[in-house]
Amino acid sequence: MQGALAYNTVVLLGPTAVGKTAIGVRVAGHFGWDIISADSRQVYKGLDIGSGKDLSEYSFGGRQIPYHLIDIVTLADEYSVYDFQKDFYSIFDSMREGDMMPFIVGGTGMYVDSVVRGYELVEVPENPALRSRLEAMSLEELAEELRRIKPDLHNTSDLQERDRAIHAIEIQTYMQSAEYRALKARSGTEAERHGVRPLVIGTTLPREKLRANITRRLAERLDEGMIEEVEGLHRQGYSWERMERLGLEYRFVSEYLEGKISGREELFSQLEHAIHRFAKRQETWFRGMERKGVDIHWLPELEDKDERAASAIALIEKEMSL
């Protein structure tokens, strides 16, 4: 067991529809903490029902639980894992200066992983000459160029779209430059500078219970006006393409409103199946984090959220000697 000085951050992660928000609110309420959201869609204003913000749940024992990184940008912006990491480090530093415990709650695996394992992400300066050369290349040529400068490429999704491939090449080119090596030598990595030492807690449910939760929650969100939410965002001027890039609920509802999906029953069926697959991918990501050395303390797979929250509180008190 590690002592109280070993950890300076607590993380609660898990797949969609397991009750992370409810458990996180109970934990935050017990210790008097704020919640730092790690959700790639809840950062956007207007994505309320489909992203499951559930802001009405952010209260415990008569106290409103403060939250961070929810409703911070509009859909006119493209929020990335780099933006999340940068914003998290700013909040982390501020909280630690005020002797507060940063508490991350969320299921976007890459967001959580970026601060748990300290991804080395960089803000790449403009390189007009390189971009001009790359713009003249085909997608196949771009893929070949990216593999040439990064032989150990794992994220093959960067090879599927021209803009992503070009951006990935720009990033790798900069990271291999003398300018970047000198900067890194002077200042060290982001993870080293901030010194995040996380206690990582995971929560999930048995497969059939998780599937039932996904189905029930999808029906509730449709009844609450999820289709109307997407329709309203489109009327505000956001294109169907922009909405589809948000994935899952926003992609499928947009396709339904565009006439690409015939009928509400077909929408429900396709979206339900897609969310089930997404939950599996989340769990695969978390298992991958464990294989890479992250120690995730999994809570008992209890249906009752109060019982899981109590288990989380007991674990935190034990591990951190609170």
Side-chain angles (χ1 to χ4, degrees):
M1 183 181 76
Q2 302 188 54
L5 296 178
Y7 300 116
N8 59 14
T9 309
V10 176
V11 178
L12 176 66
L13 56 76
T16 189
V18 295
K20 290 187 299 296
T21 298
I23 295 169
V25 163
R26 287 162 172 77
V27 171
H30 178 85
F31 291 111
W33 295 344
D34 294 7
I35 286 178
I36 305 171
S37 170
D39 188 291
S40 62
R41 296 186 303 174
Q42 291 186 8
V43 297
Y44 291 107
K45 298 174 183 177
L47 305 191
D48 301 324
I49 300 172
S51 73
K53 285 176 185 167
D54 300 325
L55 295 181
S56 61
E57 293 187 18
Y58 280 73
S59 63
F60 180 84
R63 171 182 178 257
Q64 285 299 118
I65 305 299
Y67 55 82
H68 306 265
L69 303 186
I70 295 177
D71 286 340
I72 59 172
V73 294
T74 71
L75 286 173
D77 302 300
E78 292 278 358
Y79 196 84
S80 67
V81 64
Y82 171 80
D83 296 315
F84 171 80
Q85 189 191 59
K86 181 178 64 175
D87 288 343
F88 168 77
Y89 282 143
S90 176
I91 295 168
F92 173 86
D93 290 343
S94 176
M95 284 187 169
R96 296 310 296 159
E97 287 175 6
D99 200 28
M100 298 171 63
M101 179 65 69
F103 178 39
I104 303 171
V105 178
T108 299
M110 187 174 288
Y111 280 22
V112 174
D113 206 13
S114 74
V115 296
V116 168
R117 293 199 299 121
Y119 286 11
E120 186 60 13
L121 302 175
V122 297
E123 189 167 15
V124 180
E126 292 185 9
N127 189 335
L130 174 63
R131 179 166 280 273
S132 177
R133 179 172 70 82
L134 297 176
E135 291 286 2
M137 298 169 66
S138 67
L139 181 57
E140 291 74 20
E141 290 170 328
L142 290 169
E144 184 178 344
E145 175 74 2
L146 182 54
R147 287 196 175 100
R148 182 185 67 78
I149 62 176
K150 188 173 174 57
D152 60 341
L153 180 70
H154 298 299
N155 185 10
T156 56
S157 61
D158 285 336
L159 305 177
Q160 298 169 13
E161 298 178 15
R162 283 182 53 79
D163 288 346
R164 291 188 62 167
I166 289 172
H167 187 53
I169 292 170
E170 285 181 317
I171 291 172
Q172 290 305 315
T173 300
Y174 176 66
M175 291 184 72
Q176 294 176 18
S177 69
E179 177 187 351
Y180 173 69
R181 288 196 298 271
L183 175 65
K184 187 173 179 180
R186 288 196 305 272
S187 58
T189 67
E190 286 289 328
E192 290 168 349
R193 288 196 293 276
H194 296 277
V196 178
R197 299 184 301 277
L199 170 62
V200 184
I201 302 168
T203 184
T204 190
L205 291 169
R207 177 69 58 188
E208 288 308 309
K209 176 58 181 175
L210 181 59
R211 291 177 65 87
N213 279 5
I214 288 170
T215 300
R216 174 187 51 77
R217 193 178 68 170
L218 175 56
E220 289 173 353
R221 288 182 179 179
L222 287 168
D223 288 343
E224 289 167 5
M226 187 166 68
I227 293 174
E228 292 76 12
E229 176 175 276
V230 176
E231 209 167 21
L233 290 166
H234 181 61
R235 283 199 302 271
Q236 291 176 33
Y238 298 113
S239 68
W240 293 127
E241 180 186 14
R242 176 69 183 99
M243 302 298 294
E244 289 174 14
R245 287 205 305 275
L246 296 166
L248 290 178
E249 292 88 350
Y250 294 97
R251 172 194 161 196
F252 282 88
V253 172
S254 293
E255 291 179 349
Y256 165 75
L257 291 170
E258 292 175 86
K260 297 178 181 178
I261 296 176
S262 58
R264 188 164 168 139
E265 288 186 8
E266 182 63 21
L267 167 65
F268 188 96
S269 175
Q270 288 193 28
L271 185 48
E272 178 188 32
H273 187 56
I275 299 173
H276 288 160
R277 292 199 310 270
F278 173 65
K280 285 184 180 179
R281 290 198 302 274
Q282 287 178 296
E283 292 187 319
T284 298
W285 184 284
F286 301 141
R287 288 195 297 271
M289 288 174 63
E290 289 181 301
R291 287 194 299 272
K292 293 168 184 171
V294 177
D295 186 12
I296 301 179
H297 299 72
W298 290 98
L299 301 177
E301 294 185 3
L302 304 170
E303 184 172 341
D304 187 272
K305 296 171 187 175
D306 287 322
E307 292 182 1
R308 275 186 285 156
S311 294
I313 290 167
L315 172 65
I316 293 166
E317 290 177 337
K318 175 187 174 184
E319 292 292 323
M320 305 184 75
S321 302
L322 295 178

